[in-house]
Amino acid sequence: MSARIFSPAKTAMQSGKAKTGHWVLEFDPAQRKKIDPLMGYTTSGDMLSQIRLTFDTREEAVAYAEKQGLAFRVEEPKETKRRQISYAENFRYDRRIPWTH
């Protein structure tokens, strides 16, 4: 039974950083998912895949995994690269790529 500890990235629907400051522990799937032939639902006999534990810090998540004797891996968050662009940049006359409607 192995687990993955990560800090979730912000969704594409957000402009702010809400719901991104915490760490999540998820268990790796032990079985493949299969499609129910009658209803078409996706099912699995793996109950641990439904568990998602949240922690305030990375250290708390690692301490919990070590206390429970779980094999785990920590995925560090990637830093975002943001460019500062003003709205006036859209209308510059010397743009590399012409802007039209």
Side-chain angles (χ1 to χ4, degrees), residues 42-71:
T42 303
T43 64
S44 175
D46 183 21
M47 299 304 285
L48 288 177
S49 65
Q50 298 177 10
I51 297 175
R52 183 179 172 113
L53 302 173
T54 58
F55 299 92
D56 290 332
T57 63
R58 176 184 181 270
E59 290 76 24
E60 288 177 5
V62 170
Y64 176 82
E66 288 175 347
K67 182 179 177 183
Q68 298 299 321
L70 300 173

Side-chain angles (χ1 to χ4, degrees), residues 4-101:
R4 172 174 83 122
I5 298 173
F6 65 99
S7 180
K10 73 179 192 72
T11 65
M13 302 304 292
Q14 294 176 337
S15 61
K17 294 192 177 208
K19 299 182 182 178
T20 59
H22 61 279
W23 288 81
V24 176
L25 184 139
E26 284 184 346
F27 291 96
D28 292 330
Q31 296 178 355
R32 284 184 30 169
K33 292 186 177 182
K34 54 187 173 191
I35 298 174
D36 181 66
L38 179 63
M39 298 299 288
Y41 299 145
T42 303
T43 64
S44 175
D46 183 21
M47 299 304 285
L48 288 177
S49 65
Q50 298 177 10
I51 297 175
R52 183 179 172 113
L53 302 173
T54 58
F55 299 92
D56 290 332
T57 63
R58 176 184 181 270
E59 290 76 24
E60 288 177 5
V62 170
Y64 176 82
E66 288 175 347
K67 182 179 177 183
Q68 298 299 321
L70 300 173
F72 65 92
R73 68 182 184 282
V74 177
E75 296 177 3
E76 296 294 333
K78 296 183 177 111
E79 293 295 323
T80 57
K81 297 177 185 175
R82 303 196 79 172
R83 296 187 315 152
Q84 292 292 336
I85 298 177
S86 67
Y87 181 68
E89 291 286 323
N90 292 331
F91 305 103
R92 287 181 51 184
Y93 68 90
D94 59 345
R95 285 179 53 113
R96 284 186 221 144
I97 302 169
W99 183 80
T100 61
H101 287 288

